[in-house]
Amino acid sequence: MIRRRSKAKKILIVAGMTALLLIVLYFVLVNFLVSAALVPSFMEKLQAFERITEESYAAQVQTSDIQVNRQIALNETARWLETVEAQTLSVVSADGYRLVATEFLPSEESDIWVLILHGYTGWKEEMYPFAYWYHREGYHVIVPDLRCQGESEGDFIGMGWTDHFDCMLWIDHILSQDQNARIIVHGQSMGAATVLMMTGEELPDNIIAVISDCAYTDAYSMFGEKIREWFNLPAFPLVDSACVILRFRGGYDLKKASAIDAVAKSNVPTLFIHGEDDAMIDVQMSRDLYKAAACRKELLIVADAGHAQAQDKEPAVYYGTIREFLKRCGTVVDIE
């Protein structure tokens, strides 16, 4: 009897230690996934940037018109950058990170401003073609690096949540320079989700319109999709576990990063744009956001455009739609 009890006790101890080891290994895996998806320096060590870039490019629509229009935009932007007056700005986030932006000064005095936000693992320079268009239209332009990307500091990519608080610092900067500013916020991909999350907060009346280009509905869903796509792992229970880890390591809850919840409370006029053939963020997400939005709203779906390609597939339609939408929202810029 004593031997049986002793044997049973040993089995329980071994089982308990095995279970504990599995739990530890599981959370090591979750920690790894969080770092691999949200910490650029860690992604670089894994060469994840290169892989993500290659996969993203492969998933894009590869047509000659998109490639030609893209190159034209880049060439025009390069020439503009040689002559435009610009300066570097910086602010410090609530949790102590230095955030950096480029400010492009208008050719003539203007009280119409635009804040332009890049996407996941991006940087401000990617958005300079948009800055060029707005500057040409007479806008005062600010293009930041979102936290933990480009020149901005941070421990984790914010997936729009920490970013939408950070971006209020740029709004504050604008208002400190121009109390009469009329502000447009234009975001692409994660930057678009950031913009939409901003609309769920109490905003100054100076923000008169939002442009959301290929936004996702919520970071929780996107994180799950990318875990399946990049690592061939199930979203459940890994995403929920990642949320717990991220609350401790990053100080924010991925489940709160919901653009679709925010737009349901929004009163800021919003133009939703999406490429119909987007393989990274399904076009249905913009349709769902449009449907959920409580604000004045419009929707532009660009056929035969992939992720963040609408402006290159149909540049005249893309920028023309934005121009007319912003005029209806109270801008008076018209230099045609």
Side-chain angles (χ1 to χ4, degrees):
M1 180 66 74
I2 293 175
R3 288 182 178 178
R4 287 180 181 176
R5 288 179 180 175
S6 177
K7 186 176 181 180
K9 186 176 180 180
K10 288 180 180 179
I11 292 172
L12 287 174
I13 291 172
V14 171
M17 292 180 66
T18 301
L20 180 61
L21 178 60
L22 290 173
I23 291 171
V24 169
L25 290 174
Y26 174 76
F27 278 100
V28 168
L29 171 63
V30 174
N31 260 298
F32 173 86
L33 292 176
V34 168
S35 296
L38 298 177
V39 181
S41 59
F42 190 81
M43 296 169 75
E44 288 174 357
K45 292 177 182 178
L46 297 176
Q47 297 185 325
F49 270 128
E50 290 82 356
R51 180 169 58 85
I52 291 170
T53 300
E54 289 173 3
E55 291 177 357
S56 298
Y57 181 79
Q60 291 289 58
V61 176
Q62 309 290 343
T63 56
S64 60
D65 58 341
I66 289 176
Q67 294 170 355
V68 168
N69 289 333
R70 176 65 174 167
Q71 193 58 55
I72 290 172
L74 291 174
N75 292 342
E76 291 178 345
T77 301
R79 288 192 293 269
W80 168 69
L81 287 170
E82 293 176 356
T83 60
V84 66
E85 187 177 357
Q87 60 186 6
T88 299
L89 305 176
S90 66
V91 294
V92 178
S93 69
D95 47 355
Y97 295 117
R98 180 176 179 267
L99 309 175
V100 176
T102 299
E103 179 178 19
F104 296 103
L105 306 179
S107 302
E108 298 180 3
E109 198 63 34
S110 173
D111 66 354
I112 301 181
W113 297 65
V114 61
L115 179 67
I116 305 176
L117 308 180
H118 65 76
Y120 172 76
T121 69
W123 49 89
K124 59 184 179 300
E125 288 79 8
E126 291 180 327
M127 306 306 288
Y128 283 179
F130 299 92
Y132 165 59
W133 182 82
Y134 278 106
H135 186 268
R136 192 178 61 190
E137 292 284 306
Y139 286 71
H140 202 137
V141 183
I142 293 180
V143 191
D145 279 323
L146 299 180
R147 68 162 54 201
C148 204
Q149 295 161 95
E151 295 181 81
S152 291
E153 297 175 347
D155 289 333
F156 292 89
I157 293 174
M159 294 303 293
W161 182 249
T162 51
D163 308 296
H164 91 285
F165 294 118
D166 292 342
C167 285
M168 287 309 302
L169 297 172
W170 300 119
I171 300 298
D172 291 342
H173 168 79
I174 292 172
L175 295 179
S176 72
Q177 304 299 307
D178 182 0
Q179 293 183 351
N180 297 317
R182 285 170 289 167
I183 305 169
I184 316 304
V185 191
H186 181 140
Q188 191 170 64
S189 194
M190 189 184 81
T194 300
V195 170
L196 297 179
M197 289 179 210
M198 290 174 69
T199 68
E201 307 290 343
E202 287 191 23
L203 298 175
D205 293 337
N206 304 75
I207 299 180
I208 64 172
V210 158
I211 310 298
S212 166
D213 183 348
C214 58
Y216 48 77
T217 53
D218 63 291
Y220 180 85
S221 297
M222 283 305 300
F223 198 78
E225 284 188 15
K226 296 313 172 188
I227 282 180
R228 287 191 295 269
E229 180 182 331
W230 293 342
F231 304 108
N232 295 314
L233 293 171
F236 181 82
L238 289 171
V239 179
D240 292 277
S241 301
C243 288
V244 174
I245 295 294
L246 197 54
R247 278 200 296 270
F248 284 101
R249 291 182 61 192
Y252 72 96
D253 187 348
L254 203 63
K255 291 183 178 180
K256 290 183 178 179
S258 174
I260 200 163
D261 288 346
V263 297
K265 300 180 284 185
S266 173
N267 60 7
V268 182
T270 302
L271 171 61
F272 296 91
I273 303 173
H274 216 112
E276 192 168 38
D277 293 340
D278 192 330
M280 294 182 65
I281 298 176
D282 195 284
V283 64
Q284 187 59 42
M285 286 195 167
S286 275
R287 293 192 175 106
D288 292 342
L289 287 162
Y290 173 80
K291 183 177 179 180
C295 56
R296 177 178 155 195
K297 56 193 176 182
E298 296 181 22
L299 176 65
L300 172 65
I301 304 298
V302 177
D304 302 318
H307 185 66
Q309 288 185 310
Q311 76 282 356
D312 295 323
K313 178 63 182 179
E314 296 284 356
V317 171
Y318 184 91
Y319 289 113
T321 301
I322 291 174
R323 181 189 291 118
E324 294 305 314
F325 176 75
L326 294 180
K327 285 181 184 177
R328 290 191 288 275
C329 291
T331 66
V332 291
V333 176
D334 189 355
I335 62 172
E336 290 184 304

